[in-house]
Amino acid sequence: PRCAACRSPIRGGGVEVGGKAYHQECFVCSGCRSPIEGSYRVDEAGTVLCDGCHAARAPRCSGCAGPIRGRYVTADGCMYHKECFACTACRKPIPGKFFKEHGGLICERCYEAKNPPERCAECGLVIKDGSAVRSDGRAYHAACFSCCKCKTPIDGPFWRTEDGAGRLCRACQPRCAACREPLEGRKTVTVAGASLHADCFRCCDCNGRIEGSFFEVPPAKSRNPFAGPAAGRRQHRCEDC
C-alpha cells in the first residue's frame, strides 16, 4: 500500500485510519503537524488532530470552561457539559425549566423557593405566566375574578355589594328600587334598606321630590293617582303633605 500523505510505498509497519494507510512518521496532527504517537481525534470533516489540538479547537463549557468532547446541553446560546448544567443553589442537574440569576442558573424549584409564586386570592392556586387580574392589592385568576351573583368573569368595571365583600358585574350592578335603572353616575339615597335615585324618591301624594323629612304610608292611603307599583313598593309622604 501507499502512504496517503506522501504517496510512497509502505514497507513494514504503518498506521491505518479511516481506511487510509500512513507511514508512522507521516501520520501527523493537522493542527500542529507533530507526529501522533498516542491517542488522537477525527473531527466531523475527517481531519486528524492530536488530543492537544482537538482540545484547543473544541467548544468550551460555559460552566467549567473545559473543552466539550461528547454530549452537551445548549441553553441561551451557551454550551454546557451535561453534568455542568446544574443549579447554582442546590447543585443538582437541571431537568427542565430554569432561570438566570446573578449570572448563574437556577432550577425551577429553587427559584420558586426564593421567589414564592403569586397565588389567587380567590382559589389559592398559583397564578402562572403573569396572567393575573389585580384589584385592591390582590391578584386573581381571570376566571376567579367573577360576579358574586351570576358567577360570570368580570372583564371591565364592577360594583361592590352593599356589605363590600362581593363584586357585581355590569349586568348585575345595583339598580334603583323605584325605576330599576342603574344607580351609577347619579345621586342616590337609601330608604329602609332600599337604594334609589335621589330624583326617584318622591312623595306619593304630590309627586314632589323628597329632600327632607318624610313619612311612610301604606299604598292604599296615597291620594296620588299616579302612585302605584312604578313609584316603588313602599309609599312615602313629604312633610308638606
Side-chain angles (χ1 to χ4, degrees):
R2 290 183 177 276
C3 174
C6 70
R7 307 307 301 166
S8 298
I10 298 175
R11 296 183 177 88
V15 179
E16 186 174 339
V17 177
K20 296 179 180 180
Y22 299 85
H23 293 114
Q24 181 66 56
E25 62 273 16
C26 292
F27 184 55
V28 298
C29 172
S30 297
C32 64
R33 308 306 300 173
S34 299
I36 298 176
E37 297 180 354
S39 59
Y40 59 88
R41 305 275 179 166
V42 180
D43 63 16
E44 295 177 355
T47 303
V48 178
L49 296 168
C50 66
D51 279 348
C53 288
H54 182 268
R57 294 187 181 189
R60 297 281 163 173
C61 172
S62 294
C64 70
I68 295 176
R69 293 174 175 168
R71 298 179 64 185
Y72 60 89
V73 177
T74 301
D76 282 352
C78 298
M79 299 172 69
Y80 299 84
H81 293 118
K82 194 171 181 180
E83 62 274 15
C84 292
F85 188 62
C87 174
T88 55
C90 66
R91 308 306 304 170
K92 294 179 180 179
I94 299 175
K97 191 175 182 180
F98 67 92
F99 301 84
K100 278 197 167 183
E101 189 173 271
H102 306 304
L105 303 175
I106 304 291
C107 68
E108 188 173 16
R109 184 174 181 179
C110 289
Y111 181 83
E112 289 187 354
K114 291 183 177 182
N115 306 276
E118 199 166 38
R119 293 184 177 272
C120 175
E122 189 71 25
C123 71
L125 297 179
V126 173
I127 299 174
K128 297 182 178 180
D129 304 323
S131 57
V133 176
R134 302 184 185 281
S135 177
D136 296 332
R138 296 183 176 185
Y140 301 82
H141 291 115
C144 293
F145 191 69
S146 59
C147 174
C148 64
K149 188 174 181 180
C150 68
K151 306 305 180 184
T152 302
I154 297 174
D155 183 15
F158 66 92
W159 291 261
R160 292 289 185 187
T161 53
E162 290 186 6
D163 61 5
R167 298 177 296 273
L168 297 169
C169 65
R170 184 181 295 276
C172 298
Q173 67 176 290
R175 295 177 179 272
C176 175
C179 72
R180 305 309 301 164
E181 291 297 317
L183 294 172
E184 182 188 21
R186 295 169 63 180
K187 184 178 180 181
T188 62
V189 294
T190 301
V191 181
S195 296
L196 304 90
H197 295 123
D199 192 53
C200 291
F201 185 47
R202 294 179 175 273
C203 176
C204 62
D205 287 340
C206 69
N207 205 38
R209 179 175 170 181
I210 299 176
E211 296 183 350
S213 300
F214 62 91
F215 306 92
E216 185 174 325
V217 296
K221 299 292 185 179
S222 172
R223 299 191 299 272
N224 181 1
F226 300 103
R233 293 183 176 85
R234 297 174 181 270
Q235 300 292 312
H236 301 89
R237 180 175 293 153
C238 67
E239 60 183 350
D240 294 333
C241 293

